[in-house]
Amino acid sequence: MSKTLVLRSREGSLVSKTTLDSEITQAVRKIVADAISFWKLETSDFIVIRDMYPVSVKLPISKEQYDLYSNYDMSRTTNGSVMFNVPVYVISFDNEWQEEDYVDKEVIVVAPAVDQKVEEIITELAIEATKPKEEEDAEEEPEEDL
């Protein structure tokens, strides 16, 4: 049986991380059904986005890693790494428009639990997805003054 990683992120912070003993398709359907209860329907859209997230791992890799990664359209790159695509589902239920930007305040990210490396990358993706825009703008401002 496969394992599925479920991350909940709110305003740039990881709120929860769990691993389910479930195939990803069944897990996503159940989580989407449960997430409807969190939906702020007066102010937000309810969106589920499926994306293929590219992951790169430096060679050499173990036989176990090869067996895991080859399930995800793995290929060798020219820079001594292997690249593979992990399906990632982002469930957004607390979001808003800020000027021309669509901002997710809180999301649930669901992906296959492949290994520790993939978990770290997907965790970073979940945190970045809900980072407030003001923080990003503040980080960029010093570069503009140069």
Side-chain angles (χ1 to χ4, degrees):
M1 164 134 338
S2 301
K3 292 189 179 291
T4 299
L5 179 64
V6 181
L7 305 165
R8 188 165 173 181
S9 171
R10 181 184 308 126
E11 296 177 354
S13 298
L14 195 62
V15 177
S16 66
K17 175 165 56 173
T18 55
T19 304
L20 305 175
D21 287 322
S22 173
E23 295 291 328
I24 190 155
T25 52
Q26 286 97 359
V28 168
R29 290 179 201 281
K30 180 175 181 347
I31 294 161
V32 166
D34 292 347
I36 286 181
S37 66
F38 306 131
W39 180 23
K40 302 195 180 315
L41 66 137
E42 301 83 15
T43 57
S44 298
D45 295 327
F46 188 91
I47 303 168
V48 181
I49 297 173
R50 178 186 181 273
D51 198 6
M52 297 305 283
Y53 199 76
V55 176
S56 179
V57 177
K58 284 269 186 225
L59 291 170
I61 60 173
S62 67
K63 167 137 179 34
E64 292 79 17
Q65 286 173 304
Y66 178 87
D67 292 343
L68 286 170
Y69 302 161
S70 62
N71 294 322
Y72 301 100
D73 193 25
M74 181 176 67
S75 61
R76 183 174 257 191
T77 65
T78 55
N79 67 352
S81 299
V82 291
M83 177 79 84
F84 54 97
N85 294 305
V86 179
V88 176
Y89 297 83
V90 178
I91 304 160
S92 175
F93 50 85
D94 184 2
N95 46 62
E96 68 181 14
W97 282 98
Q98 290 180 356
E99 294 166 28
E100 279 104 52
D101 286 332
Y102 193 76
V103 178
D104 287 311
K105 294 182 186 175
E106 187 168 4
V107 297
I108 298 172
V109 176
V110 185
V114 179
D115 66 4
Q116 188 63 38
K117 169 80 173 159
V118 173
E119 185 174 315
E120 289 167 10
I121 291 167
I122 302 301
T123 300
E124 183 63 27
L125 169 73
I127 292 167
E128 287 296 319
T130 61
K131 267 206 173 138
K133 293 290 180 209
E134 299 80 46
E135 282 182 27
E136 290 176 18
D137 292 344
E139 289 172 14
E140 290 172 12
E141 279 174 23
E143 294 174 20
E144 292 171 9
D145 294 339
L146 296 177

